[in-house]
Amino acid sequence: MNSTSLNAWLETLQAVAPPQGALLVGAGPGTSPLVRWLLQALPGHVCLVEADPNRFRSLQRNLPARAGWSLCCETVAPSAAPVPFHHLSNPAENGLLPLQALQKLWPNLRAADSDEPRPGTTLATLLAGSANATNWLLIDCLPAAPLLQGAGPALGSLDVVAVRVVLDESAAIPSAQHATADTLLKQAGFRCVHREPERHPALALALYLRDIRAAQSSKQQHIEQLEAELLELKFRARQQSEELAKAENQISIIQELLVPANPS
C-alpha cells in the first residue's frame, strides 16, 4: 500500500468530513499506514481493535497510552454468537476466513494452529460504546461485508468508511469482495471515492464518503412516504368517523322505534 497516496486521500477526506472519532478494526501491531495516519490526524476519540492476542500485545507495546484512545482485544463478527478464529502462517491474515478461502490469494499459506471459537462483538456494539461520536470507520481486515452487516443502523452515523477488500472476483470469496461491500455501502448512502491497492494486486483499501446528495434524496423519499402514510391514516380516520356517526344514527332510530308510544 502506497502510504503517500493513501495519506493524500485521507487528508482530503479529513477536510471534507473531519474525524471526530475513529474506530479501526484490524489494528494489528499498530504499525500500519492507517494507525500512523490516525496518530498524525489525532481525532478526539480513537478505538483500535485487534483480535489476535499476540498482535494485540504488540499493539499495546507500540502505542503508549494517550488521552481519548482505547485498545480492545475483540473479535469483530456479524453477531455476538461464537465464531471460529483461524490461525495462519501469516499472522496478518488471521481472522474469520478459513485457510481454504485464502489459498487462492496466498498459495503458500498454511494453518499455524487449531481454530478456536471466539465470542463475537458487532460493530453496532463498538460504535454504541464509543465515548464520543465516531464518524470514521476503518476495517483493515477480511471479510468486510459481514462486519458491515453487524453495524446495522449505526452505519447511518458515519461519514467515512474504509474497508479492506478483494478485487479479484476469481478468488471466490464473496464476503470479502469489493462488489459485496460496495453494494452494502451504497445502500447505506456511501460512494466509493478511491481504491488504494496493496502490494498484492488482488487486495485494496476502498475509501467511501457519505453521499450527501443520495442521503438528501433518501430523506426526501422517506418524508414523501411518511406524508403519504399520514394522508392514508387521515382518510381512514375520516371513514371511521363517518361510519361511527352512521352507526350512532342507526342506534338512535332503533331506540326510538323500541320505545312504546304513550297511550292517549
Side-chain angles (χ1 to χ4, degrees), residues 233-247:
L233 287 172
K234 287 181 176 180
F235 175 74
R236 290 180 182 178
R238 186 164 55 249
Q239 278 188 318
Q240 291 174 350
S241 178
E242 291 173 354
E243 290 173 1
L244 178 61
K246 186 185 297 183

Side-chain angles (χ1 to χ4, degrees), residues 73-144:
C73 188
E74 302 279 358
T75 302
V76 182
S79 71
V83 292
F85 188 83
H86 306 279
H87 296 272
L88 307 171
S89 55
N90 180 359
E93 302 304 329
N94 289 354
L96 302 186
L97 290 179
L99 172 65
Q100 295 77 7
L102 291 167
Q103 280 185 316
K104 179 75 175 179
L105 297 173
W106 310 99
N108 297 323
L109 198 63
R110 297 290 179 267
D113 203 348
S114 58
D115 301 338
E116 58 176 315
R118 298 271 192 87
T121 300
T122 65
L123 285 176
T125 299
L126 290 170
L127 290 168
S130 299
N132 298 284
T134 296
N135 63 333
W136 280 48
L137 170 63
L138 314 170
I139 302 178
D140 198 12
C141 60
L142 301 175

Side-chain angles (χ1 to χ4, degrees), residues 33-47:
L34 286 176
V35 174
R36 291 198 298 269
W37 186 82
L38 286 171
L39 287 168
Q40 171 190 319
L42 289 177
H45 166 75
V46 176
C47 179

Side-chain angles (χ1 to χ4, degrees), residues 30 48 59 74 124-125 148 156 183 189 195 206 215 218 226 230 243:
L48 303 180
L59 177 65
E74 302 279 358
T125 299
L148 290 170
T183 298
R195 296 191 309 191
S218 177
L226 290 175
L230 178 61
E243 290 173 1

Side-chain angles (χ1 to χ4, degrees), residues 210-229:
R210 176 162 296 285
D211 191 333
I212 303 301
R213 290 173 300 179
Q216 289 175 337
S217 175
S218 177
K219 287 180 180 178
Q220 182 60 35
Q221 290 176 359
H222 185 56
I223 291 172
E224 291 173 357
Q225 179 183 353
L226 290 175
E227 289 175 342
E229 291 174 357

